[in-house]
């Protein structure tokens, strides 16, 4: 299940991509399939080891084209172990809401991004997230949980302050908002509640089968209750005089 829309955020074979806070690796895997040179980075060593296993399995199965590469590594988003201007593309999906120093993370992403490079940022959307917080303290008051809720204009403003130039945005995963509302209403750790189990089965079916009816429904509902806000931006080229 991808949050970044690669029809709006195209990759070219050979692009060097950083998936920052990659988690289970869903975006990193897609970039690898598209022929990119991918670095998947996360502070969670257990998840990184799993991502590395999947990269190896994808290579063995021939799922990535010739020239594509994939590396999984532990690292700190506030002190990225890469030189300036190392990447053509940076993706950070559902991460910034967890990090106290979000300005520091943006600064590091801009530092390692090449001039003219592209960045995709996704965060939980303000409205659906506010409902989750209202229904359950346990949803966000956990170690490593969500510490803020972004409004779209607030996030875009921070991206501009960091030196990025936003060029597009949209919402995603409308069908997932009701699931999280149910989870919050019945208990975030209570997977046995009948409404939660039933809706989870619906989501799994939708992800596996991708039926036209639910695809159309989600597209229609995304502007209203999309669970994620997705923003795309570029890093401007330096003026010719400043680049010398």
């Amino acid at each position: 299940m991808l949050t970044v829309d690669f029809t709006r955020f195209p990759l070219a074979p050979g692009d060097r991509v950083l998936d920052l806070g990659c988690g289970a690796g869903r975006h990193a895997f897609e970039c690898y399939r598209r022929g990119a040179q991918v670095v998947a980075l996360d502070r969670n060593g257990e998840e990184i080891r799993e991502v590395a296993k999947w990269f190896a399995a994808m290579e063995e199965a021939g799922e990535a084209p010739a020239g594509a590469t994939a590396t999984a590594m532990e690292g700190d988003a506030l002190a990225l172990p890469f030189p300036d201007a190392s990447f053509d593309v940076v993706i950070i999906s559902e991460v910034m809401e967890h990090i106290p120093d979000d300005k520091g993370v943006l600064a590091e992403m801009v530092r390692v991004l090449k001039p003219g490079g592209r960045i995709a940022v996704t965060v939980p959307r303000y409205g659906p997230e506010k409902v989750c917080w209202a229904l359950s303290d346990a949803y966000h008051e956990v170690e490593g949980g969500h510490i803020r809720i972004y409004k779209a204009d607030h996030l875009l403003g921070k991206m501009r302050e960091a030196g990025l130039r936003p060029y597009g945005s949209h919402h995603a995963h409308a069908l997932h908002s009701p699931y999280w509302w149910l989870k919050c209403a019945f208990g975030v750790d209570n997977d046995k509640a009948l409404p939660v189990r039933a809706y989870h089965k619906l989501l799994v079916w939708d992800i596996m089968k991708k039926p036209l009816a639910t695809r159309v429904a989600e597209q229609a509902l995304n502007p209203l209750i999309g669970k994620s806000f997705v923003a795309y931006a570029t890093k401007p080229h330096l003026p010719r005089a400043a680049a010398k």
Side-chain angles (χ1 to χ4, degrees):
M1 183 187 74
L2 299 173
T3 307
V4 172
D5 181 351
F6 287 96
T7 65
R8 308 182 197 218
F9 189 69
L11 293 182
D15 274 352
R16 186 161 167 79
V17 177
L18 173 63
D19 185 2
L20 181 56
C22 65
R26 57 201 172 104
H27 288 106
F29 300 149
E30 181 65 19
C31 294
Y32 187 33
R33 291 187 187 98
R34 290 171 178 262
Q37 297 175 8
V38 185
V39 176
L41 183 143
D42 201 284
R43 65 184 299 178
N44 186 317
E46 184 176 338
E47 287 197 309
I48 282 298
R49 286 187 287 275
E50 280 300 307
V51 169
K53 289 178 184 177
W54 279 104
F55 278 151
M58 290 172 67
E59 181 181 14
E60 186 175 345
E63 290 189 34
T69 62
T71 303
M73 61 185 294
E74 288 186 61
D76 182 353
L78 290 165
L80 295 173
F82 310 111
D84 296 355
S86 296
F87 294 93
D88 302 290
V89 173
V90 176
I91 296 170
I92 184 166
S93 183
E94 312 299 304
V95 173
M96 287 181 56
E97 67 275 10
H98 296 273
I99 301 177
D101 185 8
D102 58 347
K103 288 186 178 181
V105 173
L106 279 167
E108 273 294 87
M109 289 190 290
V110 171
R111 181 183 68 78
V112 302
L113 187 64
K114 295 177 182 179
R118 291 152 286 135
I119 187 167
V121 179
T122 92
V123 296
R125 184 184 185 175
Y126 183 82
E129 186 77 348
K130 284 287 283 187
V131 173
C132 289
W133 283 42
L135 289 172
S136 171
D137 290 337
Y139 170 79
H140 64 98
E141 291 182 357
V142 295
E143 184 178 356
H146 298 183
I147 62 171
R148 72 174 66 82
I149 307 176
Y150 289 100
K151 289 186 176 180
D153 58 353
H154 182 213
L155 177 61
L156 292 171
K158 287 196 171 190
M159 292 171 70
R160 291 187 183 98
E161 288 173 7
L164 294 167
R165 188 174 293 162
Y167 68 84
S169 65
H170 62 90
H171 300 98
H173 308 319
L175 295 182
H176 288 250
S177 290
Y179 173 72
W180 282 101
W181 296 339
L182 288 170
K183 288 271 287 181
C184 290
F186 286 93
V188 289
D189 296 321
N190 179 13
D191 293 326
K192 295 182 179 180
L194 180 59
V196 174
R197 287 191 289 117
Y199 203 98
H200 184 262
K201 287 183 179 180
L202 170 67
L203 290 180
V204 171
W205 172 78
D206 176 58
I207 291 169
M208 298 299 293
K209 300 296 184 180
K210 297 181 175 63
L212 178 61
T214 55
R215 295 301 88 217
V216 171
E218 183 157 75
Q219 286 298 315
L221 290 170
N222 274 337
L224 302 173
I225 59 168
K227 183 74 170 66
S228 295
F229 174 70
V230 188
Y232 306 111
T234 59
K235 178 179 176 177
H237 287 278
L238 289 173
R240 191 176 298 273
K244 293 180 180 179

